[in-house]
Short mmCIF file of all heavy atoms in Angstrom, two decimals:
data_model
loop_
_atom_site.label_atom_id
_atom_site.label_comp_id
_atom_site.label_asym_id
_atom_site.label_seq_id
_atom_site.Cartn_x
_atom_site.Cartn_y
_atom_site.Cartn_z
N GLN A 269 25.85 -0.53 0.66
CA GLN A 269 24.72 -0.61 -0.26
C GLN A 269 23.73 -1.70 0.16
O GLN A 269 22.52 -1.56 -0.06
CB GLN A 269 25.22 -0.91 -1.67
CG GLN A 269 25.81 0.30 -2.38
CD GLN A 269 26.15 -0.01 -3.82
OE1 GLN A 269 26.81 -1.01 -4.12
NE2 GLN A 269 25.69 0.83 -4.73
N GLU A 270 24.21 -2.77 0.73
CA GLU A 270 23.36 -3.92 1.01
C GLU A 270 22.72 -3.89 2.39
O GLU A 270 21.79 -4.63 2.65
CB GLU A 270 24.16 -5.22 0.85
CG GLU A 270 24.63 -5.49 -0.56
CD GLU A 270 23.49 -5.55 -1.56
OE1 GLU A 270 22.40 -6.05 -1.21
OE2 GLU A 270 23.66 -5.07 -2.68
N ILE A 271 23.21 -3.05 3.33
CA ILE A 271 22.72 -3.12 4.69
C ILE A 271 21.26 -2.70 4.80
O ILE A 271 20.56 -3.09 5.74
CB ILE A 271 23.59 -2.24 5.62
CG1 ILE A 271 23.33 -2.55 7.10
CG2 ILE A 271 23.36 -0.77 5.34
CD1 ILE A 271 23.74 -3.93 7.49
N TRP A 272 20.75 -1.94 3.84
CA TRP A 272 19.35 -1.49 3.92
C TRP A 272 18.38 -2.66 3.88
O TRP A 272 17.28 -2.59 4.44
CB TRP A 272 19.04 -0.49 2.81
CG TRP A 272 18.93 -1.11 1.45
CD1 TRP A 272 19.92 -1.27 0.54
CD2 TRP A 272 17.75 -1.66 0.85
NE1 TRP A 272 19.45 -1.88 -0.59
CE2 TRP A 272 18.12 -2.13 -0.42
CE3 TRP A 272 16.43 -1.80 1.27
CZ2 TRP A 272 17.21 -2.74 -1.28
CZ3 TRP A 272 15.52 -2.40 0.41
CH2 TRP A 272 15.92 -2.86 -0.85
N ARG A 273 18.73 -3.75 3.22
CA ARG A 273 17.82 -4.91 3.17
C ARG A 273 17.68 -5.54 4.54
O ARG A 273 16.58 -6.00 4.92
CB ARG A 273 18.33 -5.94 2.16
CG ARG A 273 18.23 -5.50 0.71
CD ARG A 273 18.75 -6.56 -0.22
NE ARG A 273 20.17 -6.79 -0.03
CZ ARG A 273 20.84 -7.86 -0.47
NH1 ARG A 273 20.19 -8.80 -1.13
NH2 ARG A 273 22.12 -7.98 -0.26
N SER A 274 18.76 -5.59 5.29
CA SER A 274 18.70 -6.15 6.64
C SER A 274 17.78 -5.30 7.53
O SER A 274 16.94 -5.83 8.27
CB SER A 274 20.10 -6.23 7.26
OG SER A 274 20.96 -6.99 6.45
N GLU A 275 17.94 -3.98 7.44
CA GLU A 275 17.11 -3.10 8.25
C GLU A 275 15.65 -3.19 7.83
O GLU A 275 14.74 -3.24 8.68
CB GLU A 275 17.61 -1.66 8.12
CG GLU A 275 16.83 -0.69 8.99
CD GLU A 275 17.27 0.75 8.77
OE1 GLU A 275 18.00 1.01 7.80
OE2 GLU A 275 16.86 1.60 9.56
N THR A 276 15.40 -3.23 6.53
CA THR A 276 14.02 -3.29 6.05
C THR A 276 13.34 -4.58 6.48
O THR A 276 12.20 -4.57 6.97
CB THR A 276 14.00 -3.18 4.51
OG1 THR A 276 14.54 -1.92 4.13
CG2 THR A 276 12.59 -3.31 3.98
N LEU A 277 14.02 -5.71 6.32
CA LEU A 277 13.43 -6.99 6.72
C LEU A 277 13.09 -7.00 8.20
O LEU A 277 11.99 -7.41 8.60
CB LEU A 277 14.39 -8.12 6.38
CG LEU A 277 13.97 -9.52 6.86
CD1 LEU A 277 14.09 -10.54 5.74
CD2 LEU A 277 14.82 -9.97 8.04
N LEU A 278 14.00 -6.49 9.04
CA LEU A 278 13.75 -6.50 10.48
C LEU A 278 12.60 -5.57 10.84
O LEU A 278 11.73 -5.92 11.65
CB LEU A 278 15.02 -6.09 11.23
CG LEU A 278 14.90 -6.05 12.75
CD1 LEU A 278 14.51 -7.40 13.30
CD2 LEU A 278 16.19 -5.57 13.39
N GLN A 279 12.56 -4.40 10.23
CA GLN A 279 11.48 -3.47 10.54
C GLN A 279 10.13 -4.02 10.13
O GLN A 279 9.14 -3.87 10.86
CB GLN A 279 11.74 -2.13 9.83
CG GLN A 279 12.88 -1.34 10.44
CD GLN A 279 13.18 -0.07 9.67
OE1 GLN A 279 12.64 0.14 8.59
NE2 GLN A 279 14.05 0.76 10.21
N VAL A 280 10.05 -4.67 8.97
CA VAL A 280 8.79 -5.26 8.54
C VAL A 280 8.35 -6.35 9.51
O VAL A 280 7.18 -6.40 9.93
CB VAL A 280 8.92 -5.82 7.11
CG1 VAL A 280 7.68 -6.63 6.74
CG2 VAL A 280 9.12 -4.69 6.11
N PHE A 281 9.26 -7.24 9.89
CA PHE A 281 8.92 -8.32 10.81
C PHE A 281 8.45 -7.78 12.16
O PHE A 281 7.44 -8.23 12.72
CB PHE A 281 10.11 -9.25 11.01
CG PHE A 281 10.37 -10.17 9.85
CD1 PHE A 281 9.58 -10.13 8.71
CD2 PHE A 281 11.41 -11.09 9.88
CE1 PHE A 281 9.80 -10.98 7.64
CE2 PHE A 281 11.64 -11.95 8.82
CZ PHE A 281 10.84 -11.89 7.69
N VAL A 282 9.18 -6.81 12.71
CA VAL A 282 8.84 -6.28 14.03
C VAL A 282 7.50 -5.54 13.98
O VAL A 282 6.65 -5.73 14.87
CB VAL A 282 9.96 -5.36 14.54
CG1 VAL A 282 9.52 -4.60 15.79
CG2 VAL A 282 11.21 -6.18 14.85
N GLU A 283 7.30 -4.73 12.96
CA GLU A 283 6.06 -3.96 12.89
C GLU A 283 4.85 -4.86 12.69
O GLU A 283 3.81 -4.68 13.32
CB GLU A 283 6.14 -2.93 11.75
CG GLU A 283 7.11 -1.80 12.02
CD GLU A 283 6.70 -0.97 13.22
OE1 GLU A 283 5.51 -0.62 13.33
OE2 GLU A 283 7.59 -0.68 14.06
N MET A 284 4.96 -5.84 11.82
CA MET A 284 3.81 -6.68 11.50
C MET A 284 3.54 -7.75 12.55
O MET A 284 2.41 -8.21 12.70
CB MET A 284 3.99 -7.34 10.13
CG MET A 284 4.16 -6.34 8.98
SD MET A 284 2.90 -5.03 8.96
CE MET A 284 1.41 -6.00 8.76
N TRP A 285 4.55 -8.18 13.27
CA TRP A 285 4.37 -9.27 14.23
C TRP A 285 4.24 -8.78 15.68
O TRP A 285 3.64 -9.47 16.51
CB TRP A 285 5.53 -10.25 14.15
CG TRP A 285 5.60 -10.99 12.84
CD1 TRP A 285 4.60 -11.10 11.91
CD2 TRP A 285 6.72 -11.71 12.32
NE1 TRP A 285 5.03 -11.85 10.85
CE2 TRP A 285 6.33 -12.24 11.06
CE3 TRP A 285 8.01 -11.96 12.76
CZ2 TRP A 285 7.18 -13.00 10.27
CZ3 TRP A 285 8.87 -12.72 11.98
CH2 TRP A 285 8.45 -13.24 10.74
N LEU A 286 4.82 -7.63 16.00
CA LEU A 286 4.85 -7.19 17.39
C LEU A 286 4.07 -5.92 17.67
O LEU A 286 3.57 -5.73 18.78
CB LEU A 286 6.31 -6.99 17.86
CG LEU A 286 7.21 -8.21 17.87
CD1 LEU A 286 8.60 -7.84 18.31
CD2 LEU A 286 6.64 -9.30 18.76
N HIS A 287 3.96 -5.04 16.69
CA HIS A 287 3.41 -3.71 16.96
C HIS A 287 1.88 -3.70 16.82
O HIS A 287 1.32 -2.93 16.03
CB HIS A 287 4.03 -2.68 16.01
CG HIS A 287 3.84 -1.26 16.49
ND1 HIS A 287 4.23 -0.17 15.77
CD2 HIS A 287 3.30 -0.77 17.63
CE1 HIS A 287 3.93 0.93 16.42
NE2 HIS A 287 3.37 0.60 17.56
N HIS A 288 1.22 -4.53 17.62
CA HIS A 288 -0.25 -4.58 17.60
C HIS A 288 -0.86 -3.92 18.83
O HIS A 288 -2.08 -3.83 18.93
CB HIS A 288 -0.72 -6.03 17.50
CG HIS A 288 -0.39 -6.68 16.20
ND1 HIS A 288 -1.16 -6.53 15.08
CD2 HIS A 288 0.67 -7.45 15.83
CE1 HIS A 288 -0.62 -7.20 14.07
NE2 HIS A 288 0.48 -7.77 14.51
N TYR A 289 -0.01 -3.46 19.74
CA TYR A 289 -0.50 -2.82 20.97
C TYR A 289 0.36 -1.59 21.20
O TYR A 289 1.59 -1.67 21.24
CB TYR A 289 -0.41 -3.77 22.16
CG TYR A 289 -0.88 -5.16 21.83
CD1 TYR A 289 0.02 -6.20 21.64
CD2 TYR A 289 -2.23 -5.44 21.68
CE1 TYR A 289 -0.41 -7.47 21.31
CE2 TYR A 289 -2.68 -6.70 21.35
CZ TYR A 289 -1.76 -7.71 21.17
OH TYR A 289 -2.20 -8.97 20.84
N SER A 290 -0.28 -0.44 21.37
CA SER A 290 0.45 0.80 21.53
C SER A 290 0.98 0.93 22.95
O SER A 290 0.34 0.49 23.91
CB SER A 290 -0.44 2.00 21.20
OG SER A 290 -1.51 2.10 22.14
N LEU A 291 2.16 1.53 23.07
CA LEU A 291 2.76 1.74 24.38
C LEU A 291 1.91 2.71 25.21
O LEU A 291 1.76 2.53 26.42
CB LEU A 291 4.18 2.30 24.22
CG LEU A 291 4.94 2.60 25.50
CD1 LEU A 291 5.14 1.33 26.32
CD2 LEU A 291 6.28 3.26 25.19
N GLU A 292 1.33 3.72 24.55
CA GLU A 292 0.51 4.69 25.28
C GLU A 292 -0.71 4.03 25.90
O GLU A 292 -1.06 4.28 27.05
CB GLU A 292 0.08 5.83 24.33
CG GLU A 292 1.23 6.69 23.83
CD GLU A 292 2.04 6.01 22.75
OE1 GLU A 292 1.56 4.98 22.20
OE2 GLU A 292 3.15 6.47 22.46
N MET A 293 -1.37 3.16 25.14
CA MET A 293 -2.54 2.47 25.66
C MET A 293 -2.15 1.52 26.79
O MET A 293 -2.86 1.39 27.79
CB MET A 293 -3.24 1.69 24.54
CG MET A 293 -4.52 1.01 24.97
SD MET A 293 -5.77 2.17 25.53
CE MET A 293 -6.11 3.01 23.97
#
Side-chain angles (χ1 to χ4, degrees):
Q269 283 186 310
E270 295 302 323
I271 194 65
W272 73 268
R273 290 180 295 164
S274 303
E275 183 184 12
T276 298
L277 175 131
L278 180 59
Q279 288 176 351
V280 171
F281 284 2
V282 170
E283 290 297 315
M284 301 311 299
W285 294 343
L286 297 179
H287 197 184
H288 293 277
Y289 316 104
S290 65
L291 179 62
E292 294 76 14
M293 184 62 67

